[in-house]
mmCIF file of all heavy atoms in Angstrom:
data_model
loop_
_atom_site.group_PDB
_atom_site.id
_atom_site.type_symbol
_atom_site.label_atom_id
_atom_site.label_comp_id
_atom_site.label_asym_id
_atom_site.label_seq_id
_atom_site.Cartn_x
_atom_site.Cartn_y
_atom_site.Cartn_z
ATOM 1 N N GLU A 1 -12.613 -33.825 98.964
ATOM 2 C CA GLU A 1 -12.933 -35.067 98.237
ATOM 3 C C GLU A 1 -11.583 -35.853 98.067
ATOM 4 O O GLU A 1 -11.572 -36.805 97.290
ATOM 5 C CB GLU A 1 -13.604 -34.783 96.953
ATOM 6 C CG GLU A 1 -14.941 -34.268 97.197
ATOM 7 C CD GLU A 1 -15.798 -34.136 95.812
ATOM 8 O OE1 GLU A 1 -15.339 -34.894 94.871
ATOM 9 O OE2 GLU A 1 -16.717 -33.412 95.814
ATOM 10 N N LYS A 2 -10.552 -35.408 98.559
ATOM 11 C CA LYS A 2 -9.112 -36.095 98.568
ATOM 12 C C LYS A 2 -8.580 -36.183 97.193
ATOM 13 O O LYS A 2 -7.917 -37.146 96.880
ATOM 14 C CB LYS A 2 -9.377 -37.524 99.188
ATOM 15 C CG LYS A 2 -9.986 -37.579 100.538
ATOM 16 C CD LYS A 2 -8.953 -37.070 101.594
ATOM 17 C CE LYS A 2 -9.619 -37.435 102.955
ATOM 18 N NZ LYS A 2 -9.588 -36.359 103.900
ATOM 19 N N LEU A 3 -8.853 -35.114 96.394
ATOM 20 C CA LEU A 3 -8.251 -35.195 95.015
ATOM 21 C C LEU A 3 -6.819 -34.502 95.084
ATOM 22 O O LEU A 3 -5.929 -34.857 94.390
ATOM 23 C CB LEU A 3 -9.164 -34.402 94.065
ATOM 24 C CG LEU A 3 -8.846 -34.483 92.642
ATOM 25 C CD1 LEU A 3 -8.868 -35.954 92.136
ATOM 26 C CD2 LEU A 3 -9.891 -33.665 91.792
ATOM 27 N N ILE A 4 -6.811 -33.396 96.012
ATOM 28 C CA ILE A 4 -5.455 -32.659 96.150
ATOM 29 C C ILE A 4 -5.309 -32.621 97.740
ATOM 30 O O ILE A 4 -6.139 -32.843 98.534
ATOM 31 C CB ILE A 4 -5.470 -31.350 95.618
ATOM 32 C CG1 ILE A 4 -6.590 -30.397 96.209
ATOM 33 C CG2 ILE A 4 -5.611 -31.427 94.034
ATOM 34 C CD1 ILE A 4 -6.463 -28.989 95.763
ATOM 35 N N TRP A 5 -4.022 -32.438 98.076
ATOM 36 C CA TRP A 5 -3.661 -32.285 99.495
ATOM 37 C C TRP A 5 -3.815 -30.802 99.939
ATOM 38 O O TRP A 5 -3.637 -29.900 99.037
ATOM 39 C CB TRP A 5 -2.304 -32.736 99.752
ATOM 40 C CG TRP A 5 -2.084 -34.166 99.457
ATOM 41 C CD1 TRP A 5 -1.637 -34.831 98.390
ATOM 42 C CD2 TRP A 5 -2.436 -35.247 100.300
ATOM 43 N NE1 TRP A 5 -1.619 -36.162 98.386
ATOM 44 C CE2 TRP A 5 -2.078 -36.499 99.667
ATOM 45 C CE3 TRP A 5 -2.925 -35.430 101.655
ATOM 46 C CZ2 TRP A 5 -2.268 -37.743 100.179
ATOM 47 C CZ3 TRP A 5 -3.042 -36.620 102.205
ATOM 48 C CH2 TRP A 5 -2.655 -37.889 101.412
ATOM 49 N N PRO A 6 -4.081 -30.519 101.201
ATOM 50 C CA PRO A 6 -3.987 -29.191 101.680
ATOM 51 C C PRO A 6 -2.714 -28.530 101.416
ATOM 52 O O PRO A 6 -1.603 -29.324 101.284
ATOM 53 C CB PRO A 6 -4.356 -29.379 103.142
ATOM 54 C CG PRO A 6 -4.912 -30.678 103.393
ATOM 55 C CD PRO A 6 -4.435 -31.555 102.264
ATOM 56 N N ASP A 7 -2.590 -27.269 101.375
ATOM 57 C CA ASP A 7 -1.302 -26.491 101.184
ATOM 58 C C ASP A 7 -0.186 -26.874 102.234
ATOM 59 O O ASP A 7 0.972 -26.872 101.922
ATOM 60 C CB ASP A 7 -1.576 -25.028 101.174
ATOM 61 C CG ASP A 7 -2.298 -24.586 99.873
ATOM 62 O OD1 ASP A 7 -2.283 -25.406 98.859
ATOM 63 O OD2 ASP A 7 -3.000 -23.547 99.884
ATOM 64 N N ASP A 8 -0.626 -27.040 103.427
ATOM 65 C CA ASP A 8 0.414 -27.355 104.429
ATOM 66 C C ASP A 8 0.871 -28.734 104.616
ATOM 67 O O ASP A 8 1.523 -29.132 105.441
ATOM 68 C CB ASP A 8 -0.122 -26.829 105.736
ATOM 69 C CG ASP A 8 -1.429 -27.566 106.281
ATOM 70 O OD1 ASP A 8 -2.105 -28.123 105.397
ATOM 71 O OD2 ASP A 8 -1.879 -27.296 107.339
ATOM 72 N N SER A 9 0.307 -29.597 103.719
ATOM 73 C CA SER A 9 0.498 -31.116 103.803
ATOM 74 C C SER A 9 1.904 -31.360 103.073
ATOM 75 O O SER A 9 2.237 -30.814 101.960
ATOM 76 C CB SER A 9 -0.498 -31.957 103.107
ATOM 77 O OG SER A 9 -0.183 -33.209 102.929
ATOM 78 N N PRO A 10 2.804 -32.168 103.699
ATOM 79 C CA PRO A 10 4.033 -32.467 102.926
ATOM 80 C C PRO A 10 3.817 -33.493 101.802
ATOM 81 O O PRO A 10 4.492 -33.457 100.870
ATOM 82 C CB PRO A 10 4.813 -33.342 104.046
ATOM 83 C CG PRO A 10 3.834 -33.772 105.069
ATOM 84 C CD PRO A 10 2.685 -32.883 104.947
ATOM 85 N N PHE A 11 2.604 -34.036 101.746
ATOM 86 C CA PHE A 11 2.370 -34.810 100.538
ATOM 87 C C PHE A 11 2.101 -34.047 99.294
ATOM 88 O O PHE A 11 2.334 -34.464 98.169
ATOM 89 C CB PHE A 11 1.176 -35.750 100.845
ATOM 90 C CG PHE A 11 1.403 -36.775 101.801
ATOM 91 C CD1 PHE A 11 0.673 -36.750 103.115
ATOM 92 C CD2 PHE A 11 2.434 -37.725 101.716
ATOM 93 C CE1 PHE A 11 0.770 -37.641 104.049
ATOM 94 C CE2 PHE A 11 2.576 -38.710 102.786
ATOM 95 C CZ PHE A 11 1.845 -38.623 103.954
ATOM 96 N N GLY A 12 1.557 -32.845 99.474
ATOM 97 C CA GLY A 12 1.288 -31.957 98.377
ATOM 98 C C GLY A 12 2.530 -31.413 97.745
ATOM 99 O O GLY A 12 2.634 -31.035 96.596
ATOM 100 N N LYS A 13 3.703 -31.483 98.498
ATOM 101 C CA LYS A 13 4.968 -31.195 97.803
ATOM 102 C C LYS A 13 5.487 -32.120 96.988
ATOM 103 O O LYS A 13 6.549 -31.979 96.249
ATOM 104 C CB LYS A 13 5.876 -30.853 99.004
ATOM 105 C CG LYS A 13 5.503 -29.680 99.881
ATOM 106 C CD LYS A 13 6.557 -29.297 100.863
ATOM 107 C CE LYS A 13 6.175 -28.159 101.830
ATOM 108 N NZ LYS A 13 5.047 -27.332 101.464
ATOM 109 N N THR A 14 4.924 -33.328 96.845
ATOM 110 C CA THR A 14 5.305 -34.317 95.852
ATOM 111 C C THR A 14 4.703 -34.067 94.461
ATOM 112 O O THR A 14 4.967 -34.919 93.490
ATOM 113 C CB THR A 14 4.938 -35.785 96.281
ATOM 114 O OG1 THR A 14 3.527 -35.925 96.459
ATOM 115 C CG2 THR A 14 5.587 -36.076 97.651
ATOM 116 N N GLU A 15 3.849 -33.102 94.317
ATOM 117 C CA GLU A 15 3.500 -32.795 92.933
ATOM 118 C C GLU A 15 4.585 -32.402 92.016
ATOM 119 O O GLU A 15 5.477 -31.583 92.505
ATOM 120 C CB GLU A 15 2.425 -31.601 92.925
ATOM 121 C CG GLU A 15 1.152 -31.942 93.542
ATOM 122 C CD GLU A 15 0.039 -30.786 93.416
ATOM 123 O OE1 GLU A 15 0.338 -30.026 92.516
ATOM 124 O OE2 GLU A 15 -0.763 -30.794 94.301
ATOM 125 N N ILE A 16 4.685 -32.965 90.728
ATOM 126 C CA ILE A 16 5.746 -32.645 89.946
ATOM 127 C C ILE A 16 5.266 -31.583 88.965
ATOM 128 O O ILE A 16 4.318 -31.836 88.202
ATOM 129 C CB ILE A 16 6.213 -33.853 89.222
ATOM 130 C CG1 ILE A 16 6.697 -34.952 90.229
ATOM 131 C CG2 ILE A 16 7.260 -33.472 88.157
ATOM 132 C CD1 ILE A 16 7.079 -36.323 89.643
ATOM 133 N N ARG A 17 5.787 -30.434 88.933
ATOM 134 C CA ARG A 17 5.378 -29.260 88.146
ATOM 135 C C ARG A 17 6.387 -28.754 87.275
ATOM 136 O O ARG A 17 7.608 -28.514 87.724
ATOM 137 C CB ARG A 17 4.828 -28.105 89.173
ATOM 138 C CG ARG A 17 3.731 -28.544 89.918
ATOM 139 C CD ARG A 17 3.354 -27.324 90.844
ATOM 140 N NE ARG A 17 2.200 -27.715 91.640
ATOM 141 C CZ ARG A 17 1.548 -26.912 92.459
ATOM 142 N NH1 ARG A 17 2.210 -25.736 92.891
ATOM 143 N NH2 ARG A 17 0.498 -27.293 93.066
ATOM 144 N N THR A 18 6.147 -28.648 85.974
ATOM 145 C CA THR A 18 7.058 -27.972 85.094
ATOM 146 C C THR A 18 7.091 -26.454 85.397
ATOM 147 O O THR A 18 6.193 -25.944 86.102
ATOM 148 C CB THR A 18 6.512 -28.111 83.613
ATOM 149 O OG1 THR A 18 5.253 -27.456 83.480
ATOM 150 C CG2 THR A 18 6.491 -29.665 83.320
ATOM 151 N N ALA A 19 8.043 -25.738 84.863
ATOM 152 C CA ALA A 19 8.168 -24.294 85.020
ATOM 153 C C ALA A 19 6.904 -23.632 84.491
ATOM 154 O O ALA A 19 6.448 -22.757 85.093
ATOM 155 C CB ALA A 19 9.381 -23.813 84.393
ATOM 156 N N GLU A 20 6.409 -24.086 83.322
ATOM 157 C CA GLU A 20 5.298 -23.479 82.707
ATOM 158 C C GLU A 20 4.137 -23.730 83.646
ATOM 159 O O GLU A 20 3.215 -22.811 83.834
ATOM 160 C CB GLU A 20 4.982 -24.238 81.398
ATOM 161 C CG GLU A 20 3.772 -23.681 80.654
ATOM 162 C CD GLU A 20 3.509 -24.436 79.243
ATOM 163 O OE1 GLU A 20 4.437 -25.160 78.875
ATOM 164 O OE2 GLU A 20 2.436 -24.266 78.797
ATOM 165 N N ALA A 21 3.867 -24.939 84.238
ATOM 166 C CA ALA A 21 2.845 -25.151 85.100
ATOM 167 C C ALA A 21 2.862 -24.348 86.343
ATOM 168 O O ALA A 21 1.762 -23.719 86.824
ATOM 169 C CB ALA A 21 2.768 -26.645 85.437
ATOM 170 N N LYS A 22 4.010 -24.153 86.917
ATOM 171 C CA LYS A 22 4.227 -23.230 88.025
ATOM 172 C C LYS A 22 3.762 -21.918 87.756
ATOM 173 O O LYS A 22 2.910 -21.197 88.525
ATOM 174 C CB LYS A 22 5.594 -23.129 88.596
ATOM 175 C CG LYS A 22 6.084 -24.456 89.238
ATOM 176 C CD LYS A 22 7.541 -24.426 89.553
ATOM 177 C CE LYS A 22 8.085 -25.641 90.113
ATOM 178 N NZ LYS A 22 9.499 -25.727 90.422
ATOM 179 N N LEU A 23 4.224 -21.346 86.628
ATOM 180 C CA LEU A 23 3.653 -19.931 86.182
ATOM 181 C C LEU A 23 2.221 -19.878 86.044
ATOM 182 O O LEU A 23 1.478 -18.894 86.480
ATOM 183 C CB LEU A 23 4.335 -19.614 84.861
ATOM 184 C CG LEU A 23 5.908 -19.164 84.938
ATOM 185 C CD1 LEU A 23 6.325 -18.940 83.560
ATOM 186 C CD2 LEU A 23 6.060 -17.945 85.806
ATOM 187 N N LYS A 24 1.483 -20.897 85.512
ATOM 188 C CA LYS A 24 0.114 -20.857 85.280
ATOM 189 C C LYS A 24 -0.561 -20.907 86.527
ATOM 190 O O LYS A 24 -1.639 -20.215 86.728
ATOM 191 C CB LYS A 24 -0.389 -22.065 84.378
ATOM 192 C CG LYS A 24 -0.038 -21.770 82.901
ATOM 193 C CD LYS A 24 -0.498 -22.934 82.115
ATOM 194 C CE LYS A 24 -0.248 -22.612 80.696
ATOM 195 N NZ LYS A 24 -0.778 -23.749 79.788
ATOM 196 N N LEU A 25 -0.077 -21.656 87.516
ATOM 197 C CA LEU A 25 -0.742 -21.872 88.770
ATOM 198 C C LEU A 25 -0.687 -20.557 89.690
ATOM 199 O O LEU A 25 -1.467 -20.189 90.502
ATOM 200 C CB LEU A 25 -0.205 -23.124 89.575
ATOM 201 C CG LEU A 25 -0.655 -24.411 88.917
ATOM 202 C CD1 LEU A 25 0.081 -25.543 89.538
ATOM 203 C CD2 LEU A 25 -2.287 -24.538 89.081
#
């Protein structure tokens, strides 16, 4: 549904994640 990018997409790397969010994910 184009809400998120696939894992291998370079656009997905533009997500800004805090350290806390990275741990949760």
Side-chain angles (χ1 to χ4, degrees):
E1 294 188 21
K2 309 285 190 233
L3 191 58
I4 61 174
W5 296 97
D7 290 336
D8 59 347
S9 172
F11 297 116
K13 299 195 185 332
T14 63
E15 288 184 27
I16 299 172
R17 296 180 177 173
T18 63
E20 180 183 347
K22 286 179 189 177
L23 286 174
K24 286 183 179 182
L25 289 172

